[in-house]
Amino acid sequence: MSQQNNSIVKIKELAVGYGSKTVAQNINFELEHGVLCGIVGVNGIGKSTLLRTLAGFQPKLSGIIEVKNKSLDKHSPSELAQNLSVVLTEQPASKNLTVQELIALGRQPYTNWIGTLTSADKEHIQKSLDAFLLQELRFNKCHELSDGQLQRVLIARAMAQDTPLILLDEPTTHLDLYHKVQILKLLQQLAHQNQKTILFTTHEIDLAIQLCNKILILDGDNNPFGDPCELIEQKHFERLFPSEMVQFDAKTGSFKVNK
């Protein structure tokens, strides 16, 4: 199979922003099945704006966004819902639902007009409960959950939607280190075992380096993209922060504060 046909998302010379204000430009990358990719960069560089644009929540300023070799704006809403699922940082309005009910919402693109769940739908919900360790919480109301538990539920809903591409904005915000690692390892597992293409924004640069197959660094210039090891060799991470404050350790893939 050619690389062209195996591409899930392809971005060429993309510029994103609001109205006449460009937040980030010169963005180029391509992702295939089974890839976990992190988007990193300093605050305000345009990570969330890029993700919202890729999700179709706001228009691009220029460039090309293709999902499964078709321009994003040529997908109908129902087609998009079967190809792309999104987990944003905003809390869901439906926190009065149980865990199982919220995950079941991921099946909406496939249910009939009265929303009846088929046995296949129920199987997807069950797999999502199992994959994100939510079986014991399935009847709990979402407002009773911790931040880490709720984040697992939201990602499980995206998994139940069964799209080839999953976009997540800051999936580890407000979590302690244990739960940050747990969420990112679950995402890695979902990408590799279920052949999903997962793209997420994060401030956890050291964790992304260790767990991602690909990383896009938004640096306000040429926005390098590639394998974490390649990006380390090319010293791209070292340019992210002022070197007098923070130094990047290429051996460990981590940053350390200059004392």
Side-chain angles (χ1 to χ4, degrees):
M1 185 182 286
S2 72
Q3 188 163 355
Q4 168 74 14
N5 292 336
N6 203 26
S7 170
I8 293 298
V9 61
K10 184 187 285 186
I11 307 303
K12 274 190 189 166
E13 293 304 321
L14 181 65
V16 299
Y18 302 88
S20 60
K21 179 177 166 52
T22 302
V23 176
Q25 59 189 344
N26 191 28
I27 302 168
N28 295 277
F29 66 93
E30 185 172 349
L31 296 173
E32 299 185 350
H33 288 277
V35 174
L36 181 64
C37 177
I39 303 172
V40 304
V42 297
N43 278 347
I45 201 75
K47 297 188 296 294
S48 294
T49 307
L50 170 59
L51 203 82
R52 294 179 69 85
T53 306
L54 297 181
F57 295 153
Q58 64 186 70
K60 67 187 181 191
L61 299 187
S62 63
I64 293 169
I65 303 173
E66 287 183 358
V67 174
K68 290 180 82 176
N69 300 305
K70 181 175 172 181
S71 180
L72 183 71
D73 48 19
K74 296 279 193 293
H75 287 265
S76 69
S78 64
E79 206 177 9
L80 210 51
Q82 294 186 29
N83 281 307
L84 176 71
S85 48
V86 186
V87 181
L88 295 177
T89 44
E90 289 104 56
Q91 296 291 332
S94 40
K95 283 176 82 171
N96 212 28
L97 297 177
T98 65
V99 165
Q100 186 165 291
E101 287 167 342
L102 187 61
I103 293 172
L105 291 179
R107 298 306 299 163
Q108 274 185 332
Y110 309 95
T111 57
N112 57 30
W113 65 275
I114 49 172
T116 310
L117 294 171
T118 65
S119 56
D121 292 322
K122 289 173 183 167
E123 193 178 322
H124 278 291
I125 293 162
Q126 185 59 53
K127 278 184 183 166
S128 299
L129 285 163
D130 290 341
F132 286 92
L133 317 174
L134 293 165
Q135 195 59 43
E136 289 179 10
L137 297 170
R138 64 191 302 165
F139 300 121
N140 288 42
K141 296 278 191 183
C142 288
H143 64 75
E144 300 168 344
L145 305 179
S146 70
D147 287 341
Q149 289 169 334
L150 182 61
Q151 194 60 16
R152 295 209 313 269
V153 175
L154 295 175
I155 299 170
R157 181 186 65 186
M159 179 183 169
Q161 199 173 325
D162 195 30
T163 59
L165 178 61
I166 302 173
L167 306 177
L168 305 102
D169 195 15
E170 297 285 354
T172 56
T173 302
H174 310 309
L175 302 185
D176 60 34
L177 181 61
Y178 171 79
H179 288 101
K180 286 180 201 290
V181 174
Q182 182 189 51
I183 290 286
L184 292 181
K185 283 193 76 70
L186 287 168
L187 288 175
Q188 184 190 52
Q189 201 176 315
L190 182 56
H192 296 173
Q193 292 181 7
N194 296 53
Q195 286 296 290
K196 301 298 183 190
T197 304
I198 301 179
L199 184 61
F200 69 101
T201 61
T202 185
H203 286 100
E204 317 300 332
I205 297 176
D206 44 353
L207 290 180
I209 287 169
Q210 293 176 67
L211 294 171
C212 289
N213 308 104
K214 300 282 183 186
I215 290 181
L216 171 69
I217 301 177
L218 288 188
D219 63 359
D221 185 16
N222 56 1
N223 305 310
F225 166 77
D227 298 348
C229 292
E230 288 172 5
L231 295 172
I232 288 173
E233 283 167 16
Q234 294 157 5
K235 302 192 183 307
H236 288 298
F237 290 106
E238 294 174 25
R239 299 185 197 123
L240 278 182
F241 300 101
S243 56
E244 68 272 11
M245 288 172 58
V246 181
Q247 272 196 319
F248 181 70
D249 184 339
K251 289 192 183 71
T252 60
S254 62
F255 291 87
K256 52 187 183 187
V257 177
N258 287 336
K259 292 180 181 171

